[in-house]
Amino acid sequence: LAARLSLLTLLIIQITNSALAPKIASLYASNRKEELQKLLYNFTIVLALVGLAAWLSFAVLGRPVIKLWGEDFEAAYLYLIILAFGQMINTSGGAIGITLMMTNNEKIIGKIAFTFMVLAVILNIIFISFFGGLGACIATTICAIGETITRLIVLKRTTGIGFLTSSL
């Protein structure tokens, strides 16, 4: 339940990616990196605010929402807060994945995804053995944050484009 609720923020990223993909590809292909940088920065600010709003909503309203499924699910509140934090960071990363794809770095995305998938399995095995379901949430959040940061670094190194500033 907590995982499904926390993943609702991914809908915003998917909608944004669908709208931005052609523009990113066009700007990159025509070497208009400064304009692309500004576009991505602006969308990143908006998505960071959306991610923060979603996390705060889960923090404030998560417990009553979870109780809709019954009192037995009340323990999922802490799981929701931890997973939603990871998704907040992921959402705050903006359109990193689609930007890497639209700038001919799709193989790198695959390598990053595979690396963090393996790391997730390893961390889940370790953390679940010590903390149970809470450990799974922590491992998942660590990997979501790590993957977002890695993508940001790789994008900057491969294209010179960053999301944290409005100019190159």
Side-chain angles (χ1 to χ4, degrees), residues 7 45 60 77 100 106 119 160 165:
L7 290 175
I45 295 296
V60 173
Y77 175 72
L100 280 166
E106 54 278 343
L119 181 60
T165 179

Side-chain angles (χ1 to χ4, degrees), residues 71-93:
E71 296 295 324
D72 293 341
F73 286 91
E74 191 169 352
Y77 175 72
L78 180 58
Y79 298 174
L80 174 62
I81 296 305
I82 292 167
L83 291 169
F85 181 78
Q87 288 308 315
M88 177 187 70
I89 300 300
N90 186 21
T91 303
S92 297

Side-chain angles (χ1 to χ4, degrees), residues 9-146:
T9 56
L10 288 181
L11 292 173
I12 303 299
I13 294 174
Q14 289 175 341
I15 292 167
T16 302
N17 285 347
S18 296
L20 283 180
K23 185 75 171 171
I24 292 168
S26 173
L27 290 172
Y28 187 75
S30 60
N31 202 28
R32 294 167 36 206
K33 287 186 180 180
E34 189 75 34
E35 193 175 338
L36 177 57
Q37 177 82 32
K38 287 179 184 176
L39 173 75
L40 294 173
Y41 175 78
N42 290 334
F43 270 94
T44 299
I45 295 296
V46 170
L47 287 173
L49 292 173
V50 168
L52 179 61
W55 186 78
L56 290 173
S57 296
F58 286 133
V60 173
L61 302 172
R63 195 177 304 273
V65 169
I66 286 174
K67 283 185 178 181
L68 293 173
W69 277 267
E71 296 295 324
D72 293 341
F73 286 91
E74 191 169 352
Y77 175 72
L78 180 58
Y79 298 174
L80 174 62
I81 296 305
I82 292 167
L83 291 169
F85 181 78
Q87 288 308 315
M88 177 187 70
I89 300 300
N90 186 21
T91 303
S92 297
I96 308 165
I98 199 69
T99 303
L100 280 166
M101 279 192 253
M102 296 295 108
T103 57
N104 301 316
N105 291 296
E106 54 278 343
K107 288 181 182 177
I108 294 173
I109 289 179
K111 290 176 183 175
I112 294 169
F114 180 78
T115 300
F116 278 94
M117 179 192 69
V118 171
L119 181 60
V121 170
I122 293 167
L123 289 179
N124 272 286
I125 290 169
I126 295 168
F127 285 26
I128 290 171
S129 68
F130 288 105
F131 306 110
L134 183 63
C137 294
I138 293 169
T140 300
T141 298
I142 288 170
C143 287
I145 293 169

